[in-house]
Amino acid sequence: MTLADSRIDRYRTRTTVAVPPVERTDPTVWGTVSAPVLENFGADGYVIIDELLTPMEVADVATEIDRLAADPSLHSDERVIIEKTSNSVRSIFEVHKMSAMVAELVRDDRIVGLARQVLGSEVYIHQSRVNYMPGFQGAGFYWHSDFETWHAEDGMPAPRAVSLSIALTENYPFNGSLMLLPGSHRRFMPCQGETPDDHYLESLQEQWIGVPEQDDLTELADKYGIAQFSGARGSALLFDSNIMHGSSNNITPFPRSNIFLVFNSVENTLVEPYAGTMPRPTYIASRDFTPLR
């Protein structure tokens, strides 16, 4: 019987009273890594990969993503999230099902092969999305651990998932590029507060439930420091599901867009949400656990 089957919850969160941080007992690297670029993944919880895609490849993908964002027929699709303070597209989910080009991209061994090495198993797509941060008005994403949300609201048993963010535009230090706390993936930070029904409808625009207290964030930042992912188009960031990360608003003229591919182990499939809520829609948290081939 697995931990998920027995509903043993080693990562309690969304509690009514404060719960102390949990030192992670699960591995970060579950398999044997052979790619040199992954050498420091276990220690830092992330790696930056320069030129994962060629200039021609990233141009093709960026054109495809821009086409989706500009398609007026998609603006009423529930998978398309609009900025809270404007009519700009903030995110598009399930892009690997909207686009044959992206569906082919997720199966590229340069991409899925990294996830298989880290997770030590076959993998499936838990979530795919593109995040847009337009110039002057792009809203940031507050500090959070993806796994905290995926555990509480989706029923992911363990932090055995990784995200790959591929830059479709230049990611500068000043246009809202992702910030991370290196090493913070080794500590799970529980969050307080009951999770409302259909919380995702608000949290995908602006998240204030499932985020750490400021004192806890200050302690983490003092302990681990802050790193930032910046790089040219086609560069990528592979990061652990439990690493603390976030981004600031983009008040520059330079837009930023990245495609995010989330891979989960087929040995870590979703159960009922640990926060006691209804499962989020499958375009946010897939329940098709078919391995990528």
Side-chain angles (χ1 to χ4, degrees):
M1 182 169 59
T2 67
L3 291 170
D5 293 333
S6 63
R7 294 296 293 182
I8 295 174
D9 187 358
R10 295 170 297 140
Y11 298 102
R12 289 182 59 215
T13 189
R14 310 292 173 95
T15 55
T16 55
V17 297
V19 175
V22 175
E23 294 302 318
R24 174 175 173 167
T25 56
D26 288 299
T28 302
V29 176
W30 297 72
T32 301
V33 298
S34 57
V37 72
L38 296 175
E39 180 179 358
N40 294 323
F41 188 86
D44 294 338
Y46 77 96
V47 294
I48 295 174
I49 307 163
D50 294 325
E51 299 179 346
L52 179 64
L53 299 184
T54 68
M56 184 174 295
E57 287 173 327
V58 74
D60 289 343
V61 175
T63 298
E64 175 74 346
I65 294 304
D66 288 344
R67 179 188 68 79
L68 293 175
D71 186 344
S73 68
L74 290 178
H75 280 221
S76 59
D77 192 305
E78 63 181 353
R79 295 172 293 180
V80 178
I81 311 301
I82 305 300
E83 287 277 13
K84 197 169 185 178
T85 57
S86 72
N87 289 320
S88 301
V89 174
R90 178 177 175 85
S91 302
I92 300 178
F93 284 81
E94 221 170 44
V95 287
H96 72 294
K97 291 189 176 181
M98 290 187 178
S99 165
M101 180 183 296
V102 178
E104 183 178 349
L105 182 69
V106 301
R107 290 169 170 81
D108 190 310
D109 190 60
R110 291 172 298 171
I111 291 171
V112 70
L114 295 173
R116 289 187 182 121
Q117 286 186 51
V118 171
L119 301 180
S121 69
E122 292 298 324
V123 300
Y124 70 95
I125 290 289
H126 169 70
Q127 181 189 105
S128 71
R129 70 186 187 278
V130 58
N131 285 347
Y132 299 89
M133 191 171 282
F136 297 117
Q137 57 185 359
F141 293 84
Y142 196 73
W143 291 105
H144 65 284
S145 151
D146 288 331
F147 173 66
E148 191 279 338
T149 296
W150 298 341
H151 182 70
E153 299 186 37
D154 300 332
M156 182 179 287
R160 194 175 179 179
V162 293
S163 295
L164 183 72
S165 170
I166 305 174
L168 301 180
T169 60
E170 189 86 22
N171 279 221
Y172 298 108
F174 45 74
N175 69 339
S177 59
L178 206 65
M179 297 178 289
L180 312 99
L181 306 185
S184 63
H185 62 296
R186 300 303 315 166
R187 180 183 291 186
F188 178 76
M189 303 300 295
C191 300
Q192 286 184 254
E194 183 178 355
T195 308
D197 292 336
D198 297 332
H199 175 236
Y200 70 92
L201 293 174
E202 182 176 349
S203 66
L204 297 181
Q205 292 181 317
E206 187 176 26
Q207 182 174 355
W208 292 110
I209 295 175
V211 298
E213 298 293 329
Q214 290 185 358
D215 287 347
D216 292 333
L217 286 168
T218 300
E219 180 184 348
L220 286 175
D222 286 342
K223 179 179 177 63
Y224 297 112
I226 298 177
Q228 192 166 31
F229 168 49
S230 59
R233 301 172 67 187
S235 59
L237 171 74
L238 182 74
F239 59 102
D240 181 86
S241 59
N242 190 50
I243 197 167
M244 197 64 63
H245 62 287
S247 60
S248 57
N249 295 345
N250 180 17
I251 61 171
T252 76
F254 308 109
R256 178 180 73 83
S257 61
N258 291 53
I259 186 168
F260 286 79
L261 307 173
V262 181
F263 300 94
N264 190 27
S265 168
V266 296
E267 299 173 10
N268 190 44
T269 53
L270 307 187
V271 294
E272 290 301 307
Y274 287 86
T277 54
M278 293 293 292
R280 295 193 299 174
T282 55
Y283 66 83
I284 301 174
S286 176
R287 291 181 180 267
D288 177 359
F289 310 133
T290 306
L292 288 172
R293 301 295 186 191

